[in-house]
Amino acid sequence: MNSLFALIRNVAGLGLAALAVSACTDGWSVGPDDGGSSFSRRFHYYYEVDCRYDAFDQPYDCSDTYSMSPSMSVDLRITHDGYATLCVDDNCSYYNPRDYDVGYNHGTRYYDFEGNYTRMVVYADGSEVVFINSNKNEAYYYYYDNPDYYDYYY
């Protein structure tokens, strides 16, 4: 009789082990399977370079780098399904996934948010933020560290 209970216990144990293994395969999932991931970062910028901006998206006639006082903060939150919140000094805007672009430049990912005659490009590593006002033909580059120490190209 004890061997019968031991046999049932072993079979039940094997069944639970098989269920646990199958839960780790593609047939079982937890949460949405959209392949996306969320992003939430807060950056602080202390240096600025002001430029004129031409019709070919090229800056020219740039100022020297100067320290900003006070500094500027940028919060960027993107949910796993692509909805974005962009806050500049706690003034927030909200974007659907189709309302902004994602690309790569300077070896890192950036997010490009367009408005009426304006664009804000936020680099995911926090190295740079670019604000472009095409109505005034101006571009403002913001850095957390002094860009004169690096090889940034405008």
Side-chain angles (χ1 to χ4, degrees):
M1 185 82 142
N2 284 341
S3 62
L4 178 61
F5 287 124
L7 179 63
I8 292 172
R9 187 176 56 220
N10 288 340
V11 169
L14 288 173
L16 287 174
L19 180 61
V21 168
S22 67
C24 295
T25 63
D26 291 336
W28 291 63
S29 66
V30 176
D33 186 23
D34 61 0
S37 62
S38 61
F39 178 86
S40 181
R41 298 282 308 268
R42 181 177 182 100
F43 305 113
H44 296 278
Y45 296 95
Y46 305 96
Y47 298 93
E48 182 176 348
V49 175
D50 301 336
C51 300
R52 305 275 304 144
Y53 205 72
D54 67 20
F56 302 104
D57 289 339
Q58 296 299 313
Y60 67 95
D61 196 20
C62 295
S63 71
D64 290 334
T65 302
Y66 62 92
S67 293
M68 297 170 26
S69 181
S71 65
M72 180 177 76
S73 66
V74 174
D75 290 292
L76 178 58
R77 281 174 250 133
I78 300 177
T79 62
H80 71 280
D81 52 358
Y83 290 90
T85 303
L86 175 64
C87 302
V88 178
D89 289 334
D90 298 323
N91 295 314
C92 298
S93 299
Y94 306 95
Y95 298 89
N96 291 322
R98 65 183 176 280
D99 293 339
Y100 65 94
D101 292 320
V102 178
Y104 286 90
N105 194 8
H106 302 304
T108 190
R109 176 187 296 255
Y110 68 83
Y111 299 93
D112 188 347
F113 300 93
E114 285 199 44
N116 292 332
Y117 302 106
T118 62
R119 284 177 50 205
M120 182 161 266
V121 180
V122 180
Y123 285 81
D125 65 357
S127 62
E128 181 179 18
V129 167
V130 182
F131 177 75
I132 300 164
N133 185 332
S134 59
N135 200 29
K136 293 183 177 182
N137 297 326
E138 297 173 339
Y140 307 94
Y141 294 80
Y142 301 98
Y143 304 96
Y144 70 86
D145 204 356
N146 192 335
D148 291 340
Y149 298 128
Y150 304 100
D151 291 328
Y152 288 106
Y153 298 100
Y154 313 123

